[in-house]
Amino acid sequence: VQLQASGGGLVQTGDSLRVSCEASGGTFSNYAIGWFRQAPGKEREFVAGINYSGGSTGYADSVKGRFTISRDNAKKTVYLQMNSLKPEDTAVYYCAAQFRRTWTIRSLPDEYDYWGKGTLVTVSS
């Protein structure tokens, strides 16, 4: 499966932004999807994940209550709605796919099989 993230941009503190991850190839509904981010000089970190059906989601503590992950299997797309953005949310955001049909959300990058190119989100103070 190939993944393409889009929707990043420059926003101000407190703004909202939605990034998307569109898949091609493969059977999208067989894959769990995770969003990760990497800020300059920092390691890649888990942001949010959603299982193959959309019935189970998980979030990093740093974004819980502000970010919402969702998916539309008919459109082969996963969304990350980001509200109340903070400067510390500035990073390149990546989506990744894991061939797994379970309810468990995985948060380690090594547990994901496919990665797309990232989209840059910059939050100005």
Side-chain angles (χ1 to χ4, degrees):
V1 64
Q2 293 80 46
L3 304 172
Q4 179 64 57
S6 63
L10 173 63
V11 298
Q12 295 185 335
T13 297
D15 284 351
S16 297
L17 191 67
R18 188 178 78 167
V19 292
S20 301
C21 175
E22 185 173 1
S24 60
T27 302
F28 186 65
S29 59
N30 284 336
Y31 292 87
I33 302 294
W35 280 100
F36 293 79
R37 67 186 181 187
Q38 188 165 18
K42 295 188 176 181
E43 293 188 352
R44 191 167 297 189
E45 65 174 358
F46 173 77
V47 176
I50 189 165
N51 80 326
Y52 70 101
S53 67
S56 179
T57 59
Y59 299 90
D61 287 343
S62 59
V63 307
K64 203 171 291 184
R66 299 188 298 122
F67 290 12
T68 302
I69 189 171
S70 62
R71 68 188 294 159
D72 184 336
N73 282 348
K75 294 183 178 180
K76 296 187 175 183
T77 302
V78 170
Y79 305 98
L80 184 68
Q81 177 67 43
M82 304 183 289
N83 299 329
S84 303
L85 282 161
K86 306 174 181 180
E88 50 264 44
D89 295 318
T90 295
V92 176
Y93 283 72
Y94 299 89
C95 58
Q98 180 189 63
F99 187 75
R100 182 181 295 269
R101 291 175 63 90
T102 68
W103 288 87
T104 304
I105 303 301
R106 305 292 182 177
S107 62
L108 296 178
D110 288 349
E111 295 177 301
Y112 286 79
D113 306 303
Y114 304 95
W115 290 80
K117 294 182 180 180
T119 185
L120 176 63
V121 173
T122 304
V123 185
S124 65
S125 58

